[in-house]
Amino acid sequence: MPLVEFTALLVLATAMSFTPGPNTTLSTALAANRGLPAAMRFVVAVPVGWSLLLVLCAAGLGTVVVAVPALRWAIKALGIGYLLWLAFKLSNTGRLSEADAARLSVGFWQGVALQFVNIKAWLLALTIVAGWVIGRDDSLQRMAVVLPAMAFFALTSNFTYAATGALLRHWLAHGQRLLWFNRAMAVVLLATALWMVAA
C-alpha cells in the first residue's frame, strides 16, 4: 500500500476512532462506574468485534447490507434500541454501588455483538473496504495491513476513554457527581442514537 494511502487511512482511523460514539462512551461510563478492570472486557471486545465486521464486509456482507434496505433498517433499529436502553440505565445510576447492583455492565460477547448494530462501525468498515481493499490486485495484502492497524486504533481509543473514566471514578463518588456524569454520558448515547436515525 502506498504511503499516501496508508497516511489517509491513519487520518480516517484517528478521526473515527477517537471521536465520541457508542463504543467510547460506553468505555468511559463502564470504567467510571465499575472500574477499569470491569471495563476491559468491553474495551477488548471492540477491536475483536470490529475486526470481524471488517472481514465480513470485505467478504461480501457489506454488499448485502447495502443492497437490502430492510436489513439496514433492522441493524439500525437494534442499535438505536440498545443505545436507548443503555442511556436509560445510565441516567438512573447515581452511586457506584448502584452501578454494581443494576449490573451496569457490558460483557465481552455483548461488546463484540454491539459492533454489528453500531452504525458508526458499519460506515467505517464499508468506507475502508470500498476505499482501501476491494477491487485491488493486492486486496489480501491490503487487508493484512488495514486489519491490525484498525484493531490497534479501536483498542487504543477505547482504552484511552476507559482510562479517563477510571481516573474520574473516585472524584465522581462524591455527592451527585456520578449521577450528573452518567446523565451526560446518557445524553451522548441519545445524541448518537439520533445521529443513527439520520444516518
Side-chain angles (χ1 to χ4, degrees):
M1 179 182 299
L3 182 60
V4 173
E5 286 189 55
F6 186 65
T7 302
L9 176 69
L10 295 183
V11 170
L12 175 68
T14 302
M16 292 296 283
S17 299
F18 283 91
T19 52
N23 292 328
T24 53
T25 302
L26 277 176
S27 294
T28 308
L30 289 170
N33 282 273
R34 307 194 68 231
L36 188 58
M40 284 307 295
R41 287 175 298 182
F42 178 73
V43 168
V44 172
V46 172
V48 171
W50 198 87
S51 295
L52 287 171
L53 179 63
L54 182 65
V55 168
L56 290 173
C57 282
L61 180 61
T63 305
V64 173
V65 170
V66 170
V68 182
L71 187 54
R72 279 199 318 269
W73 280 106
I75 291 168
K76 188 180 283 194
L78 285 170
I80 291 168
Y82 190 64
L83 290 180
L84 293 176
W85 177 79
L86 286 170
F88 173 76
K89 295 270 282 187
L90 267 176
S91 66
N92 291 308
T93 303
R95 291 194 308 270
L96 296 176
S97 60
E98 290 176 351
D100 286 330
R103 297 300 298 154
L104 182 62
S105 63
V106 180
F108 178 82
W109 292 112
Q110 285 176 293
V112 170
L114 178 60
Q115 305 318 301
F116 289 85
V117 293
N118 179 347
I119 296 301
K120 186 177 177 184
W122 276 101
L123 290 174
L124 182 57
L126 291 171
T127 299
I128 288 173
V129 166
W132 278 268
V133 179
I134 293 299
R136 310 296 181 106
D137 293 334
D138 59 346
S139 59
L140 288 178
Q141 291 91 334
R142 284 171 171 266
M143 187 59 113
V145 171
V146 168
L147 190 59
M150 295 308 299
F152 173 77
F153 271 87
L155 180 64
T156 304
S157 63
N158 282 280
F159 180 77
T160 301
Y161 275 82
T164 302
L167 287 173
L168 293 172
R169 182 171 163 79
H170 293 295
W171 182 79
L172 292 171
H174 301 286
Q176 296 284 305
R177 293 173 183 168
L178 184 65
L179 178 63
W180 288 108
F181 173 83
N182 283 339
R183 287 180 176 171
M185 292 293 99
V187 168
V188 173
L189 289 175
L190 288 173
T192 304
L194 288 174
W195 175 80
M196 286 172 66
V197 169

